[in-house]
Amino acid sequence: MTRKMMAKVSELSMNQANALHLQQEVREREGELEQCYVRMEKGEPPSEEIYRGWEKMMRDETRRTTDKQTAIMAEEAMEQYTIAGGITTTAEPRPNAYIPDDESELPIPRPYGSHQPFKPHEPGSSMRHIRKPIPKPIEI
């Protein structure tokens, strides 16, 4: 036998071994498929692996939807802090107009003018060094 024939024979034996392995794998998969059908008829998930994959897919889907909702809410919050002209600020918006309660007028916002309501800011970090006053009881 020549080397060429030897190479062809060894290649053929490798292909036959591969075919036997693939046939065995097909039989195993068909058995798994039959078990999946039996479990599905009973109302159970086809297999534990498929059930875990389904749970993971549903968990990822709910996470994506919550991420989208939080992104939309964050975007809406950022729109609240956008001033005319496209400038963004972190200051909380304050009212500059009020709607009158009069029955005779239309409910159109009326500007406050120079007498806007006072809104104090949050106390700073240095306030922790100051004692809180103890109110004296009022005697009548």
Side-chain angles (χ1 to χ4, degrees), residues 10 20 27 48 65 111 115:
S10 63
L20 289 175
R27 278 188 244 114
E48 290 300 319
T65 55
H115 303 292

Side-chain angles (χ1 to χ4, degrees), residues 33-135:
L33 183 64
E34 289 298 321
Q35 287 179 349
C36 289
Y37 279 129
V38 169
R39 289 184 68 168
M40 284 176 58
E41 288 175 1
K42 292 179 182 176
E44 298 175 356
S47 70
E48 290 300 319
E49 183 178 326
I50 293 171
Y51 182 68
R52 284 192 301 271
W54 175 258
E55 283 182 337
K56 181 181 178 195
M57 185 180 71
M58 294 305 291
R59 185 179 64 240
D60 291 347
E61 186 177 328
T62 55
R63 187 186 41 144
R64 276 193 296 272
T65 55
T66 55
D67 288 349
K68 281 182 185 179
Q69 289 173 352
T70 54
I72 290 171
M73 290 174 64
E75 188 176 315
E76 289 174 358
M78 287 305 295
E79 286 177 8
Q80 179 182 2
Y81 295 115
T82 303
I83 303 174
I87 301 170
T88 304
T89 180
T90 57
E92 190 174 328
R94 297 184 179 200
N96 60 0
Y98 69 99
I99 298 175
D101 295 332
D102 299 339
E103 294 290 329
S104 62
E105 296 184 28
L106 293 173
I108 298 174
R110 184 180 294 171
Y112 281 115
S114 62
H115 303 292
Q116 293 183 358
F118 176 71
K119 185 175 182 184
H121 57 34
E122 295 285 324
S125 62
S126 63
M127 288 292 290
R128 67 177 176 219
H129 302 293
I130 300 172
R131 283 190 217 148
K132 291 189 177 185
I134 302 170

